[in-house]
């Protein structure tokens, strides 16, 4: 985990959050190696070179198709991307739990939120079927009221529709929802949906990206969530 205190939240002191929505990869789960390994298997199966694991920090976050477009050589045609997506889905379906694990401190953070009856949800650009399988596997106590992945017809994020739909389903005012994530896509989603963008620094992207895209708080450890008095004093 990065060292140092959490950044100060830049919202009015009377604001009181009532729920937390989470991104999945890079926020709750350290899944980078499995994503890289299975995607590289798909690339090599189609005669393309594998990419270094570290590059996947900037390939992921906008859905599986965009990840494959970024990982494939420039100029790869869409029919080849179709084949890569199909193979990557197949490989990931077999190996998504090989190296993936919760980040340190995520379990205790979620347990504390549950004890306080804070409504929780997951919104990811990972395909919906993988989101359901992975949250069931890694969070067997089912702490989330709703788990939503990318819809078949497009990206869930940064468009606000899915986030707003979750809020309506859970009878929440978007302004009272903290949206926690590790990429510009997550921060943009929160801004677009009128939620509070909270960036996490243990994930895939740097602090500078999160700040540039509207993060109102930056957490260096999951427990820092409870050190934001304007929002989380009651939790």
């Amino acid at each position: 985990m990065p060292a140092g205190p959490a950044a100060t939240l830049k919202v009015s002191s009377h604001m009181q959050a009532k729920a937390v929505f989470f991104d999945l990869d890079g926020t709750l789960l350290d899944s980078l190696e499995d994503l890289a390994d299975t995607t590289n298997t798909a690339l090599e199966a189609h005669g393309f070179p594998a990419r270094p694991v570290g590059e996947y920090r900037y390939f992921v976050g906008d859905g599986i198709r965009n990840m494959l477009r970024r990982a494939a050589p420039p100029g790869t045609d869409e029919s080849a991307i179709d084949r890569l997506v199909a193979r990557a889905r197949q490989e990931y379906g077999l190996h998504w739990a090989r190296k993936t694990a919760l980040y340190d401190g995520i379990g205790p953070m979620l347990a504390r939120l549950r004890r306080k009856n804070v409504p929780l949800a997951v919104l990811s650009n990972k395909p919906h079927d993988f989101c359901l399988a992975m949250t069931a596997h890694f969070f067997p106590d089912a702490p989330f009221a709703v788990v939503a992945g990318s819809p078949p017809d497009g990206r869930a994020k940064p468009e606000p529709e899915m986030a707003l739909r979750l809020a309506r389903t859970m009878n929440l005012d978007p302004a009272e929802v903290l949206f926690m994530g590790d990429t510009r896509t997550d921060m943009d989603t929160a801004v677009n949906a009128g939620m509070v963008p909270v960036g996490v620094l243990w994930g895939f992207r740097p602090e500078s990206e999160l700040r540039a895209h509207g993060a109102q708080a930056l957490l260096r450890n999951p427990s820092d969530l409870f050190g934001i008095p304007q929002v989380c004093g009651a939790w």
Side-chain angles (χ1 to χ4, degrees), residues 95-117:
H95 301 300
W96 53 255
R98 185 167 51 188
K99 299 177 182 177
T100 295
L102 275 69
Y103 285 104
D104 291 343
I106 291 295
M109 177 193 70
L110 293 176
R112 182 170 174 179
L113 291 170
R114 289 197 74 192
R115 287 195 299 271
K116 295 294 186 178
N117 296 314

Side-chain angles (χ1 to χ4, degrees), residues 35-200:
L35 288 165
D37 290 350
T38 55
T39 303
N40 280 338
T41 297
L43 289 170
E44 292 178 321
H46 288 82
F48 299 130
R51 305 295 292 264
V53 172
E55 292 187 2
Y56 281 89
R57 291 181 178 276
Y58 290 90
F59 294 164
V60 303
D62 296 308
I64 188 170
R65 191 172 190 87
N66 284 319
M67 179 178 69
L68 267 298
R69 285 194 182 108
R70 293 163 182 164
T76 301
D77 63 55
E78 289 301 305
S79 62
I81 298 297
D82 289 340
R83 294 190 292 272
L84 287 169
V85 168
R87 181 59 183 267
R89 282 187 60 101
Q90 179 186 41
E91 292 294 329
Y92 197 64
L94 296 172
H95 301 300
W96 53 255
R98 185 167 51 188
K99 299 177 182 177
T100 295
L102 275 69
Y103 285 104
D104 291 343
I106 291 295
M109 177 193 70
L110 293 176
R112 182 170 174 179
L113 291 170
R114 289 197 74 192
R115 287 195 299 271
K116 295 294 186 178
N117 296 314
V118 178
L120 310 175
V122 169
L123 179 59
S124 172
N125 274 343
K126 184 187 288 291
H128 184 64
D129 54 340
F130 288 136
C131 287
L132 294 178
M134 294 178 73
T135 52
H137 176 81
F138 289 107
F139 306 98
D141 56 346
F144 307 111
V146 184
V147 174
S150 181
D153 58 349
R155 295 183 301 167
K157 303 180 292 186
E159 289 83 1
E161 286 77 12
M162 287 292 290
L164 293 171
R165 187 182 304 171
L166 291 188
R168 288 194 298 270
T169 298
M170 298 168 68
N171 295 313
L172 296 166
D173 181 342
E176 297 175 326
V177 176
L178 301 185
F179 197 110
M180 288 178 58
D182 68 304
T183 72
R184 61 191 296 172
T185 299
D186 300 312
M187 301 301 96
D188 288 344
T189 301
V191 170
N192 293 341
M195 298 176 179
V196 180
V198 178
V200 307

